[in-house]
Each structure stands twice: as structure tokens, then as C-alpha cells.
Amino acid sequence: MFRSLILSACLIGVVLGLLVTAVQAVGVTPILLNAEQFEGAGEPAAHEHSGGEQAAHHHHEEAAGGHHHGDDAWAPEDGAERTFYTTVSNIFAGIGFSAVLLVVMSQLRERGKMMLSPSRGLLIGALGFLAVFVAPSLGLPPEVPGSAAAPLEARQLWWVFTVLMVVAGLGLVGLARGWMKLAGIPLLAIPYLFVPAHEGPLFSHPDPQAVAALTELHQQFIWATGVTNLVFWLLAGVLSAIALKRLYKASADQYDEATA
């Protein structure tokens, strides 16, 4: 069963990676390329890049993390090379998150908490979207290149902490009984007590027109990454539920044949 779960996660990850890359090529990548034209102006040395091309970003990614680099740091060339590395990273993200969903759904099914169906898969996928993208984005929205932000390490730690707290909170609210359900509510709010915020303007570009353009691109980027992550998580939930249902059916058929 474990081998089948891993294989299913890999197959689902490939499908998710290819689809998300196609969605990003339409909605996310053009925004990033436009924002990169303004990046670095007026800054002496280092720049902050967004990793918004997922997931899955991010969120958080995410699917909406980032990476810090200097002027001499390697980066893939625009075009085929960039698309290739984006596709590979999306596939690995798809495999990892699909494996998590498969394990969660399997455990819920074993404990009689969940029936395996596409609609239940949509629900689990929506909860994953809330925990991994929406919750972190409420504190740290996805950033376009050229954005000013708090130190990367602080944001990464906060992202991980937020996802863990939200997952635990949603789990208690949805699965616990009695007063234990109420214990999940504070967990949903705790991360927002100490968001690693940046002090000062979001964009330090010296040209007001460029700042206005970047601000508009930033808003578009938030919506584009949100839609991309929503597609990713809903499809991941549905495919995971379908795959897991078939695995259990195949296992039951093999058991019947062995005992016949």
C-alpha cells in the first residue's frame, strides 16, 4: 500500500505540475516579468525576489515564498530554461503535497471520518488552500520582484509556524468533540500576533510612476497566485481522493481473490 501511495503521489504531482505551470504562464509569469523590469532601481546591492510561481505557492509558496540573492547569483534565463525549472519545481511541490493529502485522507478513511469521493476531495483540497496559501497570505501577501520585506528567514519561519497552527486549528475544529473544538480557534489566531512586518514603503523605486505600476502589479499578482493555488489544491484534493479510492478498491479485490 505504501508503494502504491508513493506512486500515486508521483503521478498526481506530474499532472499538477504541468497544469499549474500552464496556468502560471498565462496569469503569473507575465506579471513577474513586468515587475522585474523595475527591480533593483535605486538599490545599491541586493534585491528580494518573489517565488510566487508556486506553490503553493506558497503560499506558500504557496505556493508565495522568496529567495534572496546578490547581483552575481545564478538564475535561469527567461524562456525555455525558466519554464523548465518552474515545471520541475511545480512537479516536486505537487508530489509532496499530494503525498500529504493521500496520507491524511487515508487516515481519515481508516478512522471512519471520511468517505472517499471527488466532493470530499474538493473539501480537503479547499482546506489545504486555506491553510497553505490563504492563512499565510493574510499576514505576508505574495510579493512581486522589487518589494521590500522583512528578513527572509523570519518570513520562512513564520510561514511554517502559521501553516502548522492553522492545520492544527482546523483539525481540532473539524474533528474534535465537545469543548476541544473551541481549542482550535485560538490556534488560528496565534500566528497573527507577531507577523514579521517590514517598516517603510513596499517599493523603494525613486520614480513615482514606477511605484504606481508596481503597486498595480502587486495587486494583480496576489489575485493571480491565489487563483493558481486554488486550482492546484482543488485538483490535488480531487485526484488524491480518486486515486485513493481506486487503491482501496484494488486492495479489496485482491483480498477477495486470495480468500476465494
Side-chain angles (χ1 to χ4, degrees):
M1 187 65 173
F2 176 78
R3 182 179 178 182
S4 298
L5 287 176
I6 297 300
L7 178 60
S8 297
C10 291
L11 294 176
I12 294 172
V14 171
V15 173
L16 290 174
L18 295 176
L19 178 63
V20 168
T21 300
V23 174
Q24 287 175 340
V26 175
V28 176
T29 303
I31 298 175
L32 288 175
L33 294 177
N34 288 334
E36 286 175 355
Q37 298 177 5
F38 303 99
E39 186 184 20
E43 297 180 8
H47 318 294
E48 195 74 26
H49 260 276
S50 168
E53 293 193 22
Q54 171 81 352
H57 296 35
H58 237 169
H59 144 339
H60 135 312
E61 110 200 48
E62 69 92 352
H67 58 276
H68 189 75
H69 62 86
D71 292 338
D72 297 330
W74 177 88
E77 296 292 336
D78 291 339
E81 185 178 359
R82 182 169 183 165
T83 301
F84 171 76
Y85 282 104
T86 297
T87 304
V88 171
S89 63
N90 286 337
I91 288 175
F92 278 113
I95 292 173
F97 285 122
S98 296
V100 172
L101 290 181
L102 288 169
V103 171
V104 170
M105 290 183 184
S106 176
Q107 292 300 310
L108 291 175
R109 190 258 186 191
E110 293 290 340
R111 288 165 172 74
K113 301 288 186 179
M114 176 184 173
M115 297 290 292
L116 295 175
S117 67
S119 61
R120 294 299 178 124
L122 276 176
L123 176 60
I124 297 297
L127 292 176
F129 172 68
L130 289 174
V132 177
F133 180 80
V134 175
S137 296
L138 292 177
L140 295 175
E143 303 157 4
V144 294
S147 303
L152 178 60
E153 292 77 10
R155 287 181 289 140
Q156 289 176 330
L157 289 175
W158 184 85
W159 185 91
V160 173
F161 178 76
T162 300
V163 171
L164 292 176
M165 289 295 100
V166 172
V167 169
L170 291 175
L172 287 174
V173 172
L175 300 176
R177 297 182 179 180
W179 65 270
M180 286 295 294
K181 286 181 175 292
L182 299 178
I185 297 177
L187 297 181
L188 300 176
I190 287 176
Y192 305 103
L193 298 178
F194 52 94
V195 180
H198 166 74
E199 296 182 0
L202 181 60
F203 302 106
S204 59
H205 199 290
D207 186 355
Q209 293 183 346
V211 172
L214 284 169
T215 301
E216 183 177 355
L217 288 171
H218 182 234
Q219 296 299 320
Q220 295 174 3
F221 186 65
I222 293 174
W223 284 103
T225 53
V227 171
T228 302
N229 276 272
L230 180 61
V231 171
F232 174 90
W233 281 102
L234 292 183
L235 184 60
V238 172
L239 293 179
S240 296
I242 293 175
L244 199 56
K245 186 175 182 178
R246 291 185 176 181
L247 288 179
Y248 275 109
K249 184 177 185 301
S251 178
D253 291 342
Q254 291 178 357
Y255 178 80
D256 292 339
E257 292 178 1
T259 56

